[in-house]
Amino acid sequence: MATYVNDSGTWREINNLYVHDGTSFTNKTIDNVYINDSGTWREVFTLFTTTAYSTSTGSIVVPAGANAIHVQYAVGGGGGSMNGLGYDKGGGEQGGRGGGSGGYVSDKVFSISGGETLAIATGSAGTAGSNSSFNYTASAGNGGTTSVVGGITGTLFTLGGGGGSSYSGGYVQGPLATQTSGSAGSATISTSLSTGTTTDGINITTLNGGPANAFNQGGVGAEGDPSGGASTAPNCGGDNCNIAGADGADSYNGNVSGGSGGGSGGSGSVGTRGAGAGGGGKESSGNTGGAGEINYRFMRIT
């Protein structure tokens, strides 16, 4: 940006600008410039203005003036859930277990380099397991990984998807299958900034608009709920008894609910925002987990 001064009525362009740092005139990076307009100070130049939020994935080039990225939220994909099982003289019935949730980040700010390319990916949702009431060894799909990797900075974070639930070892006349809830998604997160103010005046410690409702949050996901209805497994005793499916795992440290388990004879519900799917009630289908996601913007920290 060209800078001009009024020299005895003549406007002159300044090629070199120096500032006094209290001891001497030196070359300094100027973040903000203000003028006094009839007693009111007005900003006329900001080195970098924080960008709008984006959900774009793929190869993203960091703006030249940015040195940080604010990730308002990111999560790995949620795990899918299994259907409930019916038995013929098996001595009981079963609801399906719920899927696990993905690792997450909420309102973290990471240092990056202006002009570098970030590889941004969001994890897919885990698929539902078999809808057959007579398939006694099966697994639902795992959620995919959400990650941000800089060409210069390196890996900012890798958020594993939640595991899909499963069962094995059952048979139409018994025994009842052994069930396993969807596992918690992993989280590998690099060091983030704990303090700082942007050139346009944002104190990053006040950032709390993400799902965790607090600054600088992140961690692993959660395991799918092992219970269903009032039971401790989702099992019930006696042929043709009624049993519900288990709930899917909540995501973002419990702030986004997982899919609900279906009632006896009802399907489990889908997960959202990286949460696990709810398991199906007796002889009813499971569902898909919530897809991974990311929301971010670029800024410059002074």
Side-chain angles (χ1 to χ4, degrees):
M1 182 185 79
T3 302
Y4 297 85
V5 296
N6 192 308
D7 178 15
S8 301
T10 301
W11 286 99
R12 302 184 186 280
E13 183 177 357
I14 299 174
N15 294 320
N16 298 298
L17 183 64
Y18 297 89
V19 295
H20 197 280
D21 66 356
T23 57
S24 62
F25 284 96
T26 58
N27 285 310
K28 296 282 186 179
T29 298
I30 299 175
D31 295 328
N32 308 79
V33 176
Y34 297 84
I35 61 171
N36 192 307
D37 179 14
S38 301
T40 300
W41 286 100
R42 303 185 187 279
E43 186 177 48
V44 295
F45 168 75
T46 299
L47 184 62
F48 187 83
T49 300
T50 301
T51 65
Y53 285 108
S54 175
T55 59
S56 297
T57 59
S59 295
I60 307 298
V61 178
V62 178
N67 64 6
I69 182 173
H70 166 214
V71 181
Q72 188 180 48
Y73 56 80
V75 68
S81 63
M82 292 305 302
N83 56 288
L85 293 169
Y87 293 84
D88 180 14
K89 299 179 182 179
E93 308 287 358
Q94 292 182 306
R97 292 279 185 98
S101 62
Y104 77 99
V105 160
S106 183
D107 284 310
K108 278 186 174 287
V109 178
F110 301 91
S111 294
I112 53 175
S113 296
E116 75 170 311
T117 298
L118 303 180
I120 300 178
T122 53
S124 58
T127 55
S130 169
N131 289 330
S132 170
S133 296
F134 303 102
N135 181 11
Y136 296 93
T137 297
S139 299
N142 299 328
T145 298
T146 293
S147 62
V148 177
V149 180
I152 297 173
T153 306
T155 301
L156 300 184
F157 55 79
T158 302
L159 308 174
S165 61
S166 63
Y167 46 64
S168 63
Y171 185 67
V172 64
Q173 292 184 328
L176 273 62
T178 298
Q179 299 195 67
T180 303
S181 299
S183 59
S186 61
T188 302
I189 304 171
S190 68
T191 301
S192 57
L193 299 176
S194 59
T195 60
T197 301
T198 68
T199 53
D200 48 348
I202 300 172
N203 181 343
I204 66 171
T205 65
T206 66
L207 299 174
N208 60 6
N213 302 309
F215 173 61
N216 208 18
Q217 304 297 302
V220 299
E223 183 180 344
D225 186 351
S227 65
S231 105
T232 57
N235 300 329
C236 62
D239 192 30
N240 295 322
C241 61
N242 294 320
I243 186 66
D247 293 337
D250 298 343
S251 62
Y252 290 108
N253 198 31
N255 286 281
V256 175
S257 297
S260 299
S264 183
S267 299
S269 64
V270 67
T272 60
R273 305 191 69 182
K282 180 187 71 172
E283 300 185 27
S284 298
S285 62
N287 221 316
T288 58
E293 62 180 8
I294 190 169
N295 195 48
Y296 60 91
R297 58 182 177 171
F298 297 109
M299 51 181 51
R300 184 178 182 88
I301 308 295
T302 59

